[in-house]
Amino acid sequence: MKHLLSSKELTQEETLKLLARAKEFLPVVRHEPGGAGVHKRVGLAEGKLLATLFYEPSTRTRFSFETAMFRLGGGVISNAQMETASSAKKGETLFDTGRVVSEMADIIAVRHYREGACAELALGSRVPVINAGDGAGDHPTQGLLDIFTISEELGRLTDFTIAMVGDLKNSRVLHSECALLKHFSGVKFLFVSPEGLKMPDQITEDLKASGFSVTEMEKLEGAIAEADVISHTRIQQERFASEEEYLKYKGVYVITPDIMKTAKESAILMHPLPRVDEIDRAVDLDPRAKYFEQVSYGVTMRMAILAELLGV
């Protein structure tokens, strides 16, 4: 891989290689029983520098990339406010930003509010560029960490049912999950959303054309009972043209302990976070809730991605 810009560009071989590499790094970030962190470092990226350029707010993704680079033994330069605190404010193009930063860093992670922007920056860069989320388009590293979570917690990546719940229209995370799960057989997709926030037709039809079972529904309860994996996502206020439009959908699907009583004992509940009101905090005590574990899986997967792209 020269860059990691799209989930759809990843082959099955590349996906499996990243999953295997991430598993190798698990002992570096896994917490000991009782919650104490191991805080290990490996020296694979010693002398290497990661630049994190974020044009859109982030907690987990930016910190996760930076933690991953430090765990690999490298260093980080970072700007969490590229839109207002970089030369973008003066009109610098994404191409030129990529060219300039690549003269200083060995690898670049970019988040942007506009779909396709990360690829524009990569055109100017002389070093690997990673898409850390571009608008409602794609989020390949989150998709990879999610299927890594499924692999580790469910114990398989074939022959299971996944319920994707919430704002399917605008969720770059769920779009990425769909693209990556196409590499694995026997996956059944349940798409749970209001009519106005359905999964884009292109994704739905592509899955069906590839031989996957896809069911679209508006009711949450039936999907929860059938699912082996529940991949929930918030209704994203920042993707709506007005607050009025957002409020039409806010709170439409809320996971509560009572709803989780209908889920399989072996099921897992994922969420990319942040949550707003779509998962009751009481659900945090349910051992099937894996959204906080996803954070450490994210560090592990991003270590694997950085190592592969740096060739270390």
Side-chain angles (χ1 to χ4, degrees), residues 190-234:
L190 306 178
F191 291 160
V192 186
S193 70
E195 179 65 28
L197 299 179
K198 290 173 61 177
M199 186 68 77
D201 290 342
Q202 181 181 356
I203 294 176
T204 301
E205 295 308 315
D206 183 47
L207 287 170
K208 290 179 178 178
S210 299
F212 291 92
S213 170
V214 179
T215 304
E216 297 180 274
M217 59 185 73
E218 293 192 33
K219 297 291 185 182
L220 177 63
E221 288 75 13
I224 295 293
E226 188 177 349
D228 299 295
V229 177
I230 304 155
S231 189
H232 201 4
T233 188
R234 68 187 170 93

Side-chain angles (χ1 to χ4, degrees), residues 2-311:
K2 180 179 179 182
H3 303 292
L4 178 53
L5 300 174
S6 168
S7 302
K8 291 181 285 189
E9 293 175 358
L10 283 169
T11 65
Q12 182 186 57
E13 182 182 4
E14 289 168 337
T15 302
L16 291 171
K17 185 176 183 181
L18 287 169
L19 290 169
R21 194 86 195 265
K23 194 172 184 69
E24 291 175 7
F25 286 129
L26 267 177
V28 179
V29 298
R30 189 183 292 278
H31 284 65
E32 301 286 3
V38 229
H39 304 303
K40 294 179 181 176
R41 284 167 65 99
V42 293
L44 293 178
E46 188 173 351
K48 302 290 187 180
L49 197 60
L50 164 70
T52 52
L53 312 180
F54 277 59
Y55 294 79
E56 191 179 51
S58 169
T59 299
R60 277 149 299 279
T61 303
R62 185 169 68 89
F63 286 170
S64 178
F65 266 114
E66 294 175 3
T67 301
M69 192 60 171
F70 284 128
R71 292 273 187 259
L72 287 170
V76 173
I77 55 174
S78 181
N79 188 340
Q81 298 176 312
M82 284 293 293
E83 187 69 8
T84 58
S86 79
S87 289
K89 183 74 171 175
K90 304 173 184 177
E92 183 170 74
T93 65
L94 288 164
F95 180 97
D96 282 2
T97 297
R99 184 70 172 84
V100 167
V101 176
S102 68
E103 292 293 329
M104 296 176 273
D106 300 286
I107 191 165
I108 303 170
V110 188
R111 166 165 292 187
H112 205 282
Y113 51 82
R114 179 168 58 80
E115 187 173 349
C118 301
E120 288 181 35
L121 189 141
L123 286 173
S125 175
R126 302 175 74 178
V127 301
V129 173
I130 302 169
N131 179 354
D134 62 340
D138 203 347
H139 197 348
T141 67
Q142 180 73 44
L144 283 164
L145 78 87
D146 287 353
I147 67 168
F148 185 51
T149 303
I150 295 170
S151 177
E152 291 297 310
E153 296 291 344
L154 192 66
R156 64 188 188 277
L157 282 171
T158 58
D159 302 311
F160 68 90
T161 298
I162 181 167
M164 297 185 175
V165 182
D167 183 358
L168 310 192
K169 176 183 177 181
N170 296 304
S171 176
R172 57 193 176 199
V173 172
L174 299 184
H175 300 169
S176 295
E177 287 181 12
C178 288
L180 293 166
L181 287 171
K182 280 180 62 182
H183 294 311
F184 304 95
S185 63
V187 181
K188 181 178 179 181
F189 294 85
L190 306 178
F191 291 160
V192 186
S193 70
E195 179 65 28
L197 299 179
K198 290 173 61 177
M199 186 68 77
D201 290 342
Q202 181 181 356
I203 294 176
T204 301
E205 295 308 315
D206 183 47
L207 287 170
K208 290 179 178 178
S210 299
F212 291 92
S213 170
V214 179
T215 304
E216 297 180 274
M217 59 185 73
E218 293 192 33
K219 297 291 185 182
L220 177 63
E221 288 75 13
I224 295 293
E226 188 177 349
D228 299 295
V229 177
I230 304 155
S231 189
H232 201 4
T233 188
R234 68 187 170 93
I235 306 298
Q236 301 175 80
Q237 184 172 5
E238 65 270 26
R239 307 295 178 214
F240 290 87
S242 68
E243 184 176 9
E244 180 182 12
E245 182 72 9
Y246 162 68
L247 291 174
K248 282 172 52 179
Y249 300 109
K250 183 178 183 292
V252 64
Y253 300 120
V254 180
I255 304 289
T256 64
D258 283 342
I259 287 178
M260 287 301 293
K261 287 177 183 176
T262 69
K264 297 178 181 179
E265 286 300 313
S266 58
I268 62 171
L269 171 62
M270 304 195 306
H271 192 297
L273 302 176
R275 62 175 165 187
V276 181
D277 56 6
E278 64 275 7
I279 298 179
D280 190 306
R281 283 184 61 185
V283 175
D284 296 355
L285 300 176
D286 191 316
R288 295 169 293 181
K290 301 299 179 184
Y291 31 88
F292 293 121
E293 283 86 343
Q294 281 175 265
V295 177
S296 59
Y297 286 132
V299 174
T300 309
M301 175 52 73
R302 288 177 176 121
M303 287 179 71
I305 292 164
L306 289 168
E308 285 298 313
L309 286 172
L310 288 168

